[in-house]
Each structure stands twice: as structure tokens, then as C-alpha cells.
Amino acid sequence: MPPRGATNAIIHMPHGLNIYKISHLYQETHCLAIGRTIALGDKKVSNALNSKMNRELSWSRKQSSSDLYSRIAIDINTSNQSWKRRKIQLKYNLAEHFTHNWVKHLSSLTKQTALL
């Protein structure tokens, strides 16, 4: 980093200490809960969660765990997979998502400090 830029990203990025932020833990646990409910619930529960996710997609001021789940779980093959396999894939996708956000954050900081 340039001398004027500072961030605690090294604590949270996988290339550093890989310690999750509390918000990441919150998002991960809620995404896993939604995924488990969809995987192990009956049709009524799945329909209720799907309508909740569709309703929360239109939110503009708040972040939603179900919105994050719907974006992360798109490429997970749900046919004939056990919950454990889905959970592993979901955790991997979430870690990639968080890493991508940190890299984007660092690149914006690098650009800002280059202007100083």
C-alpha cells in the first residue's frame, strides 16, 4: 500500500489471517440457514422462502441475507446432492464473494491514495 493508505483488510482476507468480520459471520449463518431450510423443508416452506426472497429483491436501502443467498446459490446444483455437499459449495461461494468484495475495496483504496 502507498504510505497514506491504511486498511485492516489483511486481517480479514484469506491471503492474510482470514478472520471473518462479524457481518460476514452473520451473512454466512443466515445464508446457510436459508439454504438448509430450502433443502430440508417441505413445499410450503420453500414457497414461503421463495416469496420472501422475491419480495426482498426489490429492497434498495437494506441488505438482505436471502438476496445474498439467491445470488450465491445460483450455480449450486441442487439435484441429487446431500445437504452437506450443498453446504460446502455454499460456504465456498460465500468465501469467494467476501474475497471479491475485499479486493474491490482494496483497489478503490489504492486509487484514492494514488491521488493524494
Side-chain angles (χ1 to χ4, degrees), residues 17-93:
L17 296 176
N18 199 21
I19 299 172
Y20 272 21
K21 289 174 50 178
I22 292 179
S23 63
H24 290 173
L25 287 174
Y26 175 84
Q27 289 173 340
E28 182 178 306
T29 55
H30 279 268
C31 285
L32 289 175
I34 291 168
R36 182 177 172 88
T37 304
I38 289 174
L40 303 178
D42 59 359
K43 293 286 184 192
K44 289 182 181 180
V45 172
S46 294
N47 288 338
L49 274 174
N50 286 334
S51 66
K52 175 187 180 219
M53 285 192 279
N54 290 334
R55 184 180 64 246
E56 291 178 359
L57 284 174
S58 63
W59 288 0
S60 60
R61 294 185 180 206
K62 292 170 68 176
Q63 272 189 335
S64 167
S65 298
S66 58
D67 178 37
L68 177 63
Y69 173 79
S70 64
R71 286 185 281 133
I72 296 295
I74 285 175
D75 59 345
I76 295 177
N77 183 8
T78 57
S79 62
N80 298 330
Q81 275 192 0
S82 67
W83 164 243
K84 288 182 181 183
R85 286 188 179 270
R86 288 187 210 174
K87 180 180 173 183
I88 291 168
Q89 184 65 41
L90 189 59
K91 284 182 130 186
Y92 176 79
N93 288 0

Side-chain angles (χ1 to χ4, degrees), residues 1 6 17 28 59 94 96 104:
M1 291 294 298
L17 296 176
E28 182 178 306
W59 288 0
L94 282 166
E96 289 292 315
K104 192 166 65 171

